[in-house]
Amino acid sequence: MSKPVPPAEKATGATGVERAQQAFKLALSLTLFYWLALWMNWPEAQYGGLAIVIISLGTTGATIEKGIMRVFGTTVGVAVGLLILALFNHDRWAVLVAFIGYLTLIGYFMQVSRYNYAWYAAGFVPLVVWADTYPHFESAFYYATFRYLETLAGVIIYTLVDLVFWPRSAGDKLHRDGRISLKVMENLFKHDCQRLENQELAAGTDGLRSQVSHALVQTFATLQQAYLDSQEVRTRKQEWERWRSELKATADALDKWQQTIDACSGFDLPRLVPQLDTQLEAIGVRFSRIQSLWEETHTKVSDRSEPDKDRYDEVRTVKLDPSTAAEFGSKDREVLTNFLHQLQDLDRASLNLLDTQRVLAGHKPIRELPDSIAIQEEHATPLWDAVRFERALYPPVAFIVGFLFWIFMNPPGATGVPLYCGIISLAVLRTPMNPIAGLALMLLSALFVVAPVYWFVMPMFTSGFELLGLIFAYAFTFGYLGERSAALKSGPMLIFVSVTGISNQQSYSFQEIVVGTLLILLAGTIATSVYYLFKSSRLNVSPL
């Protein structure tokens, strides 16, 4: 009888000291930025504050990467926004058509790009340039210039603070994330093997698949960040890029094979495929070896050794027993053949991953592996994908609905409704998130955290230094809490920076919070409705 699959390893949370360090860096950066903004009398300081909140991540590599993407995306977005206004500002319907095409393009390529945050920033910044200057487009260049300057200042300030105070390398985090990815893949494979014996176990498959998907996304993101702050990883980029391709190929092969398992229920597989147990055992042994080699890759050991190759280090072709295959109809034979074909692909992919892991562990030179360019071409994302295009239609459709709502209903906030429809829908497309949960987080943060501070606490301070002290205390509090749960940081911090309007002309208005909350509610409701419309139309708008 098969043993139960062990649970996946969970990421170790940061210690109290590390949480305090991260919160201090966020609070200090925001305080320095707002001091600079007040000194320079900048009119739109919230954009630099938003940049700081967004790039304040757990490692130096993550901060540098997201800061670069933020600046690059803002650069492209500002240029596109000014271009669209220069060409079409005389006709709002022409502006709508231009944004429909642009958002579709952004949504299509954002889904498969390693730098999807840069695509995201490039997608929503033109909307901001248009919405915040409508209908006085003569000030668009002035507005866009200050937005770009403040974003750049925010990125530079936080990056310098992060490099000076307790920098943390993404290379160290890569060890943990990679271990988790390999373990959850092995757990999924063991679970699939058990499914071949007991079809009742199929109920737990979706959860394990979700674990694998999330673990791979996190590992690949950490690897990309480690190129920026880990010399050891950066100098072996060729090997790591090959490892990334092979790990993704193995996960894809495992996913395709498991989809064929249910179709084989009722078949006597041990009698039909006598070599099946041997092949499954070989793949299982490979997963265990890969994990052992992963630990060696990140252990500073000069004398490393590995057992010689044995019968598990080869790809074998498993076929149906000819004497029994004839008793099945053509449809059943096709099902069994597909099952074995996908299993052989998994066999080959797991062996390729094992060989690449041997290279990283120092047991094998990379020149003994097949041409890496051919491997990359084999796993390359196709230029055209109909499903990806269908998903990319979600942001422009949400923007259209928000735009028409603005035209015909003229709600408070006016162009803010289509603006936030575009921003929210792009965010949902970029990350697998529940739009209802995100909307609830923003509304609760606005009403129960930011509003009391804005209405009752901030008016008590009469000097810039008192206001800066409040900013430091607020950012440190939610920065510390946010190290435990990202929602406790993102909601209160993003809303605080966006709606408080901190400047030398500081004023306080009951209407400011109310209108801002109404905008979020209207746009969030529209974006969520369109999201579930796509879901009901069998179009999965979540990214690949």
Side-chain angles (χ1 to χ4, degrees):
M1 184 176 179
S2 301
K3 295 181 180 180
V5 176
E9 177 184 350
K10 293 183 180 180
T12 304
T15 65
V17 173
E18 291 173 335
R19 290 195 295 271
Q21 290 172 347
Q22 288 299 113
F24 175 82
K25 288 190 284 188
L26 172 62
L28 178 61
S29 299
L30 275 176
T31 304
L32 291 174
F33 171 76
Y34 276 111
W35 170 80
L36 177 63
L38 294 174
W39 182 48
M40 300 292 291
N41 197 27
W42 284 344
E44 303 288 347
Q46 68 265 29
Y47 295 116
L50 286 171
I52 289 175
V53 174
I54 289 169
I55 72 169
S56 58
L57 302 173
T59 66
T60 302
T63 291
I64 295 174
E65 181 194 40
K66 200 150 195 178
I68 292 173
M69 289 193 289
R70 180 79 178 190
V71 171
F72 183 81
T74 301
T75 303
V76 174
V78 165
V80 171
L82 293 176
L83 178 63
I84 290 177
L85 292 183
L87 296 175
F88 308 114
N89 71 79
H90 60 283
D91 187 345
R92 60 188 178 187
W93 299 109
V95 170
L96 173 62
V97 172
F99 277 132
I100 290 172
Y102 183 69
L103 289 175
T104 303
L105 180 71
I106 291 292
Y108 184 78
F109 289 103
M110 180 177 66
Q111 295 177 61
V112 293
S113 173
R114 293 187 194 179
Y115 311 103
N116 57 21
Y117 184 74
W119 285 92
Y120 171 68
F124 77 77
V125 168
L127 304 181
V128 176
V129 173
W130 164 75
D132 284 6
T133 58
Y134 182 89
H136 305 291
F137 295 127
E138 66 277 1
S139 62
F141 182 81
Y142 171 83
Y143 168 83
T145 301
F146 269 98
R147 177 190 170 86
Y148 183 80
L149 174 64
E150 290 154 7
T151 298
L152 183 62
V155 169
I156 292 174
I157 287 174
Y158 185 84
T159 302
L160 292 176
V161 169
D162 188 60
L163 289 171
V164 172
F165 295 97
W166 311 293
R168 281 193 256 169
S169 172
D172 298 332
K173 187 171 181 287
L174 178 62
H175 180 205
R176 184 192 69 200
D177 291 346
R179 183 200 302 128
I180 294 174
S181 291
L182 294 172
K183 186 61 179 178
V184 295
M185 285 177 62
E186 182 185 32
N187 288 349
L188 180 57
F189 175 74
K190 290 179 179 179
H191 178 81
D192 290 337
C193 291
Q194 293 176 15
R195 286 174 61 197
L196 291 173
E197 301 176 11
N198 184 359
Q199 291 295 319
E200 295 179 359
L201 289 172
T205 302
D206 289 342
L208 287 171
R209 291 177 66 185
S210 178
Q211 287 183 22
V212 171
S213 176
H214 285 88
L216 289 179
V217 168
Q218 183 60 60
T219 300
F220 293 156
T222 304
L223 175 59
Q224 193 67 30
Q225 296 154 11
Y227 290 144
L228 297 172
D229 69 2
S230 175
Q231 178 69 18
E232 184 177 357
V233 176
R234 184 166 55 251
T235 55
R236 305 187 68 187
K237 186 173 182 179
Q238 181 183 5
E239 291 95 327
W240 280 111
E241 283 299 294
R242 186 182 185 107
W243 178 83
R244 181 205 293 264
S245 297
E246 298 295 3
L247 183 63
K248 180 66 165 58
T250 303
D252 290 344
L254 179 59
D255 183 67
K256 291 177 181 178
W257 174 63
Q258 69 170 211
Q259 293 178 31
T260 67
I261 292 177
D262 290 335
C264 295
S265 61
F267 293 149
D268 187 1
L269 291 176
R271 181 174 66 90
L272 294 171
V273 191
Q275 313 94 334
L276 180 61
D277 287 342
T278 301
Q279 187 164 25
L280 294 177
E281 180 187 4
I283 297 173
V285 169
R286 287 196 198 120
F287 276 119
S288 297
R289 285 185 175 178
I290 289 168
Q291 293 181 71
S292 298
L293 289 167
W294 176 259
E295 296 302 323
E296 287 189 32
T297 302
H298 296 272
T299 304
K300 309 300 182 183
V301 179
S302 58
D303 183 18
R304 297 171 175 170
S305 61
E306 185 194 22
D308 294 334
K309 289 187 177 182
D310 56 26
R311 62 194 179 94
Y312 296 128
D313 290 320
E314 59 182 16
V315 175
R316 56 185 58 79
T317 301
V318 180
K319 298 181 179 180
L320 293 173
D321 186 340
S323 62
T324 57
E327 64 188 68
F328 291 95
S330 58
K331 184 176 181 180
D332 288 340
R333 282 201 302 271
E334 182 179 350
V335 168
L336 287 168
T337 300
N338 184 43
F339 168 82
L340 296 177
H341 173 72
Q342 299 299 340
L343 179 59
Q344 187 173 352
D345 285 348
L346 176 60
D347 191 16
R348 183 182 302 105
S350 63
L351 181 56
N352 291 339
L353 178 60
L354 175 62
D355 283 339
T356 304
Q357 196 67 65
R358 283 177 172 140
V359 171
L360 286 174
H363 294 292
K364 188 174 185 177
I366 193 172
R367 63 176 178 272
E368 294 185 8
L369 300 182
D371 184 13
S372 60
I373 296 179
I375 295 294
Q376 293 174 8
E377 291 178 350
E378 180 182 352
H379 305 312
T381 302
L383 182 62
W384 169 251
D385 186 326
V387 174
R388 183 153 45 108
F389 178 75
E390 291 171 348
R391 293 170 178 160
L393 293 177
Y394 168 53
V397 170
F399 181 77
I400 291 171
V401 176
F403 195 94
L404 295 177
F405 187 89
W406 161 56
I407 293 295
F408 295 107
M409 301 299 295
N410 193 26
T415 55
V417 175
L419 166 64
Y420 281 103
C421 284
I423 293 176
I424 293 172
S425 58
L426 284 172
V428 172
L429 182 64
R430 190 179 77 89
T431 57
M433 61 180 290
N434 185 329
I436 295 180
L439 177 61
L441 171 63
M442 293 302 169
L443 292 176
L444 291 174
S445 298
L447 294 175
F448 297 104
V449 179
V450 178
V453 173
Y454 180 76
W455 287 334
F456 304 115
V457 179
M458 292 181 67
M460 298 171 57
F461 300 112
T462 58
S463 70
F465 285 105
E466 291 175 333
L467 186 59
L468 292 175
L470 172 65
I471 293 172
F472 184 93
Y474 184 95
F476 184 88
T477 300
F478 288 101
Y480 185 85
L481 295 175
E483 289 298 306
R484 285 185 174 273
S485 171
L488 294 176
K489 172 186 173 184
S490 58
M493 289 305 306
L494 292 175
I495 295 295
F496 177 82
V497 171
S498 299
V499 305
T500 52
I502 296 172
S503 69
N504 286 325
Q505 292 77 38
Q506 186 72 33
S507 62
Y508 302 97
S509 168
F510 178 82
Q511 184 179 2
E512 189 75 25
I513 295 289
V514 173
V515 171
T517 304
L518 180 61
L519 272 178
I520 295 174
L521 179 61
L522 286 174
T525 301
I526 291 172
T528 301
S529 300
V530 175
Y531 173 86
Y532 284 105
L533 175 64
F534 270 62
K535 293 278 283 189
S536 64
S537 301
R538 300 182 182 274
L539 298 179
N540 180 13
V541 299
S542 297
L544 294 175

